[in-house]
């Protein structure tokens, strides 16, 4: 009888422990500080791996890519497509695709002499020419290898600016100018609307903004080395009227619901 009573008492203790959320043989203590720290470190490591090699968020701060991208758009950028960059190194890992003409691309800008506080910002523009291409612009119309590249209707509705505007930064073009082409000789002084012909060197890319009169792009700072490319924007995951809203807290009260999920082309 004594042994049965002992067994019954042991069984009751085990049930009580289970009801209390403890193991009958355990110490009854919750996760240790080290276990919690390991869980946090693992989460951070996964986040950094995804951010470095797969996807990264990017915010549009200016109107240089209107109407494709608007101020206040937040994008997911596919970093794996063109080959992720290893931070703090000059190493780019292989990607599964190459930047192609017409792609919208995120990249590190060539050195911009006129902004010493941020000389190499990360930018997003449209890739319009690759190594070996000949490019020029006449009357605001861009030509690629002799073929005019008219923008779509939406982009053509962007406000026009002073096409005769020139800037000392345009002088980078001079060593790359070519003569005797169907485009005629380059103008003595390049302007926003009239420059080139230029030949894009091997391993280099040429970028323009879709909003041609409100875009500081390749016309100002030149060709982009292929290794500067950081990714391809995929879609808009959040958007609000950052530059035109008169509502308080526009990031909450003036969201562009219709843009969320838009694929970037």
């Amino acid at each position: 009888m004594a042994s049965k009573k002992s067994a019954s008492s042991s069984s009751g203790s085990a049930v009580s422990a289970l009801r209390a959320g403890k193991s009958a043989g355990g110490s009854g203590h919750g996760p240790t500080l080290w276990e919690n720290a390991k869980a946090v470190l693992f989460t951070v490591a996964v986040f950094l791996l995804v951010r470095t090699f797969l996807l990264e968020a990017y915010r549009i701060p200016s109107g240089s890519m209107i109407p494709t991208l608007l101020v206040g758009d937040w994008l997911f950028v596919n970093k794996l497509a063109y080959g992720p960059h290893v931070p703090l190194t000059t190493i780019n890992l292989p990607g599964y695709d190459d930047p192609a003409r017409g792609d919208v691309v995120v990249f590190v800008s060539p050195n911009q002499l006129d902004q010493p506080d941020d000389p190499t910002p990360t930018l997003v523009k449209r890739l319009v020419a690759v190594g070996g291409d000949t490019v020029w612009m006449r009357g605001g119309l861009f030509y690629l290898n002799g073929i005019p590249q008219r923008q779509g209707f939406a982009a053509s509705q962007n406000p026009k600016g002073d096409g005769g505007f020139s800037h000392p930064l345009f002088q980078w073009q001079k060593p790359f100018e070519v003569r005797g082409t169907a485009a005629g000789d380059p103008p003595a002084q390049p302007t926003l609307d009239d420059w080139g012909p230029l030949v894009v060197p091997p391993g280099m890319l040429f970028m323009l903004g879709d909003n041609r009169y409100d875009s500081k792009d390749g016309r100002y700072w030149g060709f982009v080395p292929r290794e500067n490319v950081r990714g391809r924007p995929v879609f808009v995951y959040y958007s609000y009227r950052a530059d035109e809203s008169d509502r308080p807290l526009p990031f909450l009260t003036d969201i562009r619901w219709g843009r969320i999920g838009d694929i970037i082309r």
Side-chain angles (χ1 to χ4, degrees):
M1 291 294 292
S3 61
K4 288 184 179 180
K5 184 176 181 180
S6 175
S8 175
S9 174
S10 175
S11 175
S13 296
V15 171
S16 297
L18 287 172
R19 287 176 176 171
K22 303 175 184 177
S23 170
S27 64
H29 296 297
T32 65
L33 180 62
W34 172 236
E35 289 170 336
N36 286 330
K38 285 195 295 183
V40 171
L41 290 173
F42 176 77
T43 302
V44 171
V46 170
F47 168 76
L48 291 176
L49 284 172
V50 170
R51 187 177 185 273
T52 301
F53 299 108
L54 299 178
L55 288 174
E56 185 173 0
Y58 183 85
R59 178 181 63 88
I60 300 299
S62 75
S64 68
M65 284 294 290
I66 292 174
T68 305
L69 301 170
L70 307 181
V71 180
D73 281 351
W74 289 77
L75 323 173
F76 273 134
V77 177
N78 180 351
K79 303 183 79 171
L80 189 61
Y82 302 140
H85 176 76
V86 179
L88 306 178
T89 73
T90 58
I91 299 172
N92 286 336
L93 301 179
Y96 62 81
D97 205 356
D98 282 316
R101 302 181 193 94
D103 286 355
V104 178
V105 176
V106 173
F107 60 96
V108 175
S109 168
N111 190 42
Q112 300 197 30
L113 301 176
D114 61 322
Q115 47 186 71
D117 292 339
D118 188 18
T120 57
T122 300
L123 304 175
V124 56
K125 305 288 182 187
R126 192 173 296 279
L127 170 59
V128 295
V130 299
D133 287 339
T134 301
V135 295
W136 68 86
M137 191 175 276
R138 291 291 181 268
L141 181 59
F142 176 69
Y143 288 79
L144 172 67
N145 298 324
I147 301 173
Q149 307 293 307
R150 300 186 185 279
Q151 291 184 282
F153 175 78
S156 68
Q157 300 307 298
N158 285 332
K160 300 295 188 291
D162 178 11
F165 172 78
S166 187
H167 194 282
L169 290 176
F170 294 173
Q171 294 303 309
W172 73 265
Q173 300 178 20
K174 290 298 183 180
F176 301 96
E177 291 178 343
V178 293
R179 300 179 180 277
T181 70
D185 290 340
Q189 180 60 49
T191 66
L192 276 182
D193 274 3
D194 294 279
W195 49 267
L198 314 173
V199 174
V200 183
M204 294 289 187
L205 308 171
F206 189 62
M207 311 285 188
L208 290 176
D210 286 355
N211 192 6
R212 298 283 167 81
Y213 293 97
D214 191 21
S215 175
K216 188 182 181 187
D217 49 33
R219 292 169 292 186
Y220 291 82
W221 32 253
F223 303 120
V224 177
R226 168 63 178 85
E227 58 267 23
N228 284 26
V229 171
R230 293 293 178 264
R232 178 168 61 200
V234 183
F235 66 91
V236 178
Y237 73 88
Y238 175 71
S239 181
Y240 74 100
R241 292 178 174 82
D243 61 339
E244 57 186 21
S245 178
D246 56 1
R247 300 180 183 180
L249 303 176
F251 62 93
L252 294 176
T253 60
D254 214 347
I255 298 173
R256 301 185 185 105
W257 295 103
R259 285 191 64 76
I260 295 177
D262 276 3
I263 303 299
I264 297 165
R265 298 181 175 87

